[in-house]
Amino acid sequence: MGKQKKARKYATMKRMLSLRDERLKEKDRLKPKKKEKKDPSALKEREVPQHPSCLFFQYNTQLGPPYYILVDTNFINFSIKAKLDLVQSMMDCLYAKCIPCITDCVMAEIEKLGQKYRVALRIAKDPRFERLPCSHKGTYADDCLVQRVTQHKCYIVATVDRDLKRRIRKIPGVPIMYISNHRYNIERMPDDYGAPRL
């Protein structure tokens, strides 16, 4: 009779002692976890996102003339390319007084772009534009705009950036202004915002 071949075992692990084993010394042993008994009489807390009081479903009651428009860096650059005056074109689009707002982050982004975008910087420093101070760290304008719009629903966001548009569409009640066919257009703006209230 020949010698019987033993099948080799793959992926076998060394047997190790459990940390709760009695053979280990007391100081090395893992202590058993004690389950905390929950008080049945205690109230259960549940985290529910607080919806802003300014929204009636998708209708934003805080929006109305004069419109405050948060301007993004690329919106200014594309407006220059399309030879559009920012304030005048905004008024032509919305048929109402518009106040363009620039955050410190957007201003810092334009300054970082350098000498090539000096016209955009000059436009951004226009006295008709309202400057909004930023208290957070970093100068990433997209996060800044999204955060500001989530907190205060009184703004329209002017941008050409696809990713930023996608992020803002997820926030209810915030219209988006963009450039197409050499003019400004508005997205998600109900028709009766400008109408007088009865």
Side-chain angles (χ1 to χ4, degrees):
M1 262 179 102
K3 197 177 178 185
Q4 195 175 4
K5 277 191 176 178
K6 229 181 187 180
R8 184 184 282 175
K9 290 181 183 173
Y10 289 99
T12 53
M13 278 181 62
K14 263 187 183 175
R15 280 191 148 184
M16 295 176 76
L17 281 176
S18 167
L19 291 173
R20 291 202 179 97
D21 204 306
E22 276 90 44
R23 289 173 283 183
L24 288 173
K25 288 175 185 163
E26 192 71 37
K27 60 175 184 186
D28 299 331
R29 208 178 299 162
L30 192 73
K31 299 207 170 33
K33 288 179 183 174
K34 289 178 184 174
K35 285 187 179 177
E36 290 177 19
K37 287 185 181 178
K38 288 180 182 175
D39 186 19
S41 62
L43 289 170
K44 290 177 183 173
E45 286 184 27
R46 221 172 49 173
E47 193 66 39
V48 178
Q50 192 69 36
H51 288 288
S53 59
C54 64
L55 287 181
F56 179 75
F57 294 107
Q58 294 286 318
Y59 184 89
N60 189 352
T61 55
Q62 276 188 356
L63 271 179
Y67 295 107
Y68 287 87
I69 301 167
L70 280 175
V71 183
D72 191 22
T73 315
N74 52 27
F75 190 81
I76 298 172
N77 294 334
F78 276 85
S79 298
I80 294 165
K81 251 183 211 172
K83 294 185 173 130
L84 293 167
D85 175 31
L86 254 94
V87 181
Q88 192 57 48
S89 301
M90 282 174 183
M91 287 183 186
D92 292 345
C93 176
L94 292 168
Y95 302 116
K97 188 176 186 330
C98 299
I99 301 162
C101 303
I102 284 203
T103 62
D104 288 346
C105 293
V106 173
M107 206 62 162
E109 235 178 45
I110 297 169
E111 283 167 3
K112 275 183 193 170
L113 290 172
Q115 196 64 17
K116 194 179 174 187
Y117 295 93
R118 62 184 179 277
V119 180
L121 187 62
R122 195 178 298 154
I123 288 170
K125 285 180 177 172
D126 192 316
R128 294 178 294 177
F129 282 41
E130 193 176 301
R131 281 293 296 272
L132 301 172
C134 294
S135 56
H136 59 83
K137 289 180 182 177
T139 56
Y140 186 54
D142 289 13
D143 287 345
C144 176
L145 294 175
V146 169
Q147 182 193 343
R148 199 172 281 271
V149 157
T150 312
Q151 285 171 350
H152 315 287
K153 294 268 195 297
C154 59
Y155 296 111
I156 296 169
V157 179
T159 184
V160 194
D161 188 2
R162 277 185 188 167
D163 295 330
L164 183 57
K165 274 191 198 171
R166 202 171 292 133
R167 282 172 72 180
I168 287 166
R169 280 186 195 118
K170 290 174 187 169
I171 307 164
V174 180
I176 301 166
M177 188 179 273
Y178 61 96
I179 302 168
S180 69
N181 300 334
H182 292 274
R183 55 183 294 234
Y184 292 170
N185 286 321
I186 198 112
E187 182 184 306
R188 286 171 36 170
M189 185 84 157
D191 300 328
D192 52 351
Y193 268 131
R197 301 234 160 76
L198 299 171

